[in-house]
Structure formats: structure tokens, C-alpha cells
Amino acid sequence: MQKICKNIFTMSKIQLDTVDKRIISALQQDARMTFDQLAEWVQLSPSAVLRRVRKLEELGVVRGYRAQVEPEAVGLALTAYLNVRITRQSEGMNRTPVESFHAAVATWPEVVSCASLTGDMDYLLCVMVQDMAHYSRFLMGTLLKHPSVMDCKTSFVMNWVKRDQGVRV
């Protein structure tokens, strides 16, 4: 967690010019475009674009490239957001409840994202599963059996209004 926070604070100091922002925007729209196409888009030479992209990667601004997969097309028809509260006690545990929870979440394939929150609940998990039976097995057999989990509340996605649009730069 400290490494992530440190990177976030370091990131805020990075100054991006208009060309960097156009490169990032173009890559978010189509990361498979060639450097020649990208160069044409931002009106630079391919070698200059390549240098800038590599610099953005080295700085951690661009973390990677991946395909956007339609969950339903791969059998993940149900998406749920779970607000999770964890216990503050660590009796009989080798790690703190937070450390134990973080380690467990990293191994659960149903969890596609997990964010630490302020407010009444501690975490927000985005879970993608095949159906309600799969969700029930995950909830009852995995999440609620974890010793750090005290409570959770679930909201199911009925319809997507906006999703995976990239970061506005």
C-alpha cells in the first residue's frame, strides 16, 4: 500500500505537455496503433513519439497495454459492487486484518478491483461472476469466511451507463 501511495504522490509532480496528453489520449483510444499512426496523430516524427512513449512508460504514467474484454462474452454476466468492513482486532492472526485482507483479495479471481475507502465501509470490491449461484459461492464460501471481514453490503449492476473510458488528460 505504501508503494502505491508513494507512486501516486510522485505522479502528481509529473508535468505533461500538450503532446504527451495527446499521446496518452490516443493510446487510450487505440493502444494497437503503430508509432507511425501515432506520430501522424500528434504531428511529430515516429522517433520523437517513440521517445515520448518510452518516457511515459518509464515514469509510470503509462502502466501497460491490454485488450478490453466484454465480460458477458467470456461468461461473466453478473457484476456486483461490495462495500466491505473489516475487523480491527488481530487476535490469533500472524498479520494485521488489513494485511491479511489485502493478501486474500489479491488471490480471488472474482475480484477485478478493490479500493480502500473513507466512511462507514473500508473497501469497495468490484466482483464479476457467471451468475447468482457463483456470486453466492464467492460471498458465503470465500469473502464472509475470511477472518478479517466483519460485514459487507452488495449492489448489483443492472445496466452500464458508462464504463472503461480511460483517464481524462
Side-chain angles (χ1 to χ4, degrees):
M1 181 73 174
Q2 289 176 345
K3 184 176 182 181
I4 292 170
C5 291
K6 186 177 180 183
N7 288 341
I8 291 170
F9 292 122
T10 304
M11 294 284 181
S12 66
K13 297 177 186 176
I14 295 172
Q15 296 297 317
L16 301 174
D17 64 17
T18 304
V19 175
D20 290 331
K21 291 177 182 179
R22 290 189 70 200
I23 289 171
I24 293 166
S25 180
L27 288 173
Q28 286 186 115
Q29 289 177 35
D30 181 7
R32 293 182 65 177
M33 73 172 53
T34 67
F35 283 109
D36 288 336
Q37 292 169 320
L38 186 55
E40 187 176 323
W41 178 265
V42 298
Q43 300 175 352
L44 284 180
S45 70
S47 61
V49 168
L50 176 62
R51 281 193 302 274
R52 282 179 176 257
V53 169
R54 295 295 181 243
K55 182 180 177 189
L56 291 168
E57 291 170 347
E58 288 170 13
L59 291 171
V61 175
V62 174
R63 293 184 303 163
Y65 305 89
R66 61 180 158 183
Q68 289 183 316
V69 175
E70 188 62 40
E72 292 85 1
V74 293
L76 300 174
L78 185 66
T79 300
Y81 285 92
L82 289 77
N83 283 292
V84 178
R85 187 174 349 172
I86 62 170
T87 184
R88 301 290 179 236
Q89 301 168 352
S90 59
E91 295 175 27
M93 298 174 77
N94 294 337
R95 299 185 251 186
T96 67
V98 169
E99 292 169 334
S100 177
F101 184 72
H102 288 190
V105 166
T107 68
W108 297 336
E110 294 88 354
V111 177
V112 296
S113 66
C114 174
S116 177
L117 303 176
T118 62
D120 293 340
M121 300 303 252
D122 298 311
Y123 294 93
L124 179 65
L125 277 59
C126 179
V127 171
M128 290 186 177
V129 292
Q130 296 165 346
D131 52 28
M132 189 58 79
H134 186 177
Y135 173 75
S136 181
R137 285 191 306 274
F138 169 74
L139 181 70
M140 304 305 280
T142 304
L143 182 68
L144 292 178
K145 283 193 174 182
H146 191 278
S148 295
V149 174
M150 188 167 70
D151 185 24
C152 81
K153 295 177 183 176
T154 303
S155 296
F156 294 100
V157 173
M158 293 174 49
N159 189 19
W160 289 101
V161 176
K162 184 176 181 180
R163 171 171 74 172
D164 299 330
Q165 298 297 310
V167 177
R168 192 171 135 216
V169 292

